[in-house]
Amino acid sequence: MRGAITVCRVACIPVEIQVSWPPVFLFVSWALAVRFFPRLYPEWSTSSHWMAGVLCSVLLFGSLLAHELGHALVARWRGLSVFRISLFFLGGIAEIGVDDGTPGDEFWMTLAGPATSVLLAVSFVGVGLAIAATDQRLGAVALYLGISNALLAAFNLLPGYPLDGGRLFRAVLWQIFGDRTRATRWASCLGLGIGVVGIVSGLVDVISGDALVGIWLAAVGAFLILAVRGRISTILTSPS
Ligand SMILES: [Zn+2]
């Protein structure tokens, strides 16, 4: 893909970072180190805030990668082609040749992403609660990642295609109708609806002063609409 570099291969699947990702990684690290952790833990030193912020950011994007790998590895197990996984400014994308699949392939391949995030959420919360009393900093990082992974799973299970929830909905309709095109039409309507809600809520946030959240929401909404209209053919996973 243009504007991307392959940083590694996991189980022979190329993992790419797009040029739009590093600024977002730096911004998330900065926001956690300068805004989030100082508000919650003002007694920590500045270096502790930065270490926690950067560690959270690295593991947050690692969690996104794990979510995409969940999709990709199950897709390959079901016999589908997996081209690459990319991290970009809205989150992660797994490029999978879903056109040759069955409703069952799509259902299990899609479910694997949120299931990975739920597993990570439970693991991080468990570790966070276990170590919070002995190491407050690492406990706080683990709890932040637990909550982030839970939100990631919840957001992606919204029923609008091409989010994971919309793909699961389409797989079920596809099985019932026996007609993929008809199932896609129904699931796409919900995707368009969620895209429009994202753009409108983003604009409301921008007007009310929360510009960054608003711009992110509007960008996810616009991306969903473009994907529904067939401009982008990928599995989007976006952090909430
Ligand atoms: Zn996903």
Side-chain angles (χ1 to χ4, degrees):
M1 184 176 286
R2 267 194 317 180
I5 54 165
T6 301
V7 288
C8 64
R9 287 175 188 270
V10 180
C12 300
I13 300 166
V15 176
E16 288 183 353
I17 287 179
Q18 296 186 16
V19 288
S20 62
W21 178 78
V24 172
F25 170 77
L26 292 175
F27 174 75
V28 170
S29 304
W30 172 84
L32 288 167
V34 176
R35 298 278 183 88
F36 182 78
F37 283 115
R39 278 184 196 160
L40 282 182
Y41 304 100
E43 70 278 15
W44 290 6
S45 65
T46 302
S47 60
S48 292
H49 289 144
W50 273 99
M51 276 192 284
V54 173
L55 184 60
C56 272
S57 193
V58 168
L59 292 175
L60 180 62
F61 285 102
S63 297
L64 268 175
L65 190 57
H67 177 114
E68 298 306 328
L69 275 170
H71 287 309
L73 293 175
V74 171
R76 202 160 61 179
W77 169 61
R78 301 284 301 192
L80 302 175
S81 305
V82 178
F83 304 113
R84 65 179 65 81
I85 291 172
S86 297
L87 291 178
F88 76 128
F89 76 107
L90 284 179
I93 283 177
E95 292 187 40
I96 295 169
V98 292
D99 288 347
D100 303 328
T102 63
D105 292 335
E106 172 137 77
F107 185 88
W108 293 114
M109 177 265 297
T110 303
L111 191 63
T116 303
S117 296
V118 169
L119 193 65
L120 286 171
V122 172
S123 306
F124 276 123
V125 168
V127 169
L129 293 176
I131 64 173
T134 51
D135 191 327
Q136 189 193 41
R137 291 169 183 78
L138 283 180
V141 167
L143 287 173
Y144 170 85
L145 289 163
I147 293 167
S148 298
N149 273 287
L151 291 173
L152 180 68
F155 176 80
N156 282 284
L157 282 171
L158 286 174
Y161 179 85
L163 290 172
D164 292 340
R167 285 186 179 272
L168 291 171
F169 181 52
R170 179 175 79 156
V172 171
L173 291 180
W174 183 3
Q175 181 69 36
I176 293 169
F177 296 155
D179 181 344
R180 183 178 168 178
T181 307
R182 190 173 162 206
T184 304
R185 211 179 306 131
W186 280 52
S188 294
C189 287
L190 277 174
L192 281 176
I194 289 175
V196 170
V197 169
I199 291 175
V200 171
S201 347
L203 290 176
V204 170
D205 276 345
V206 169
I207 290 165
S208 58
D210 200 350
L212 287 170
V213 172
I215 290 167
W216 179 83
L217 266 175
V220 171
F223 189 95
L224 283 178
I225 290 172
L226 286 174
V228 169
R229 295 178 66 82
R231 302 285 181 84
I232 302 166
S233 176
T234 50
I235 295 178
L236 167 70
T237 299
S238 202
S240 45

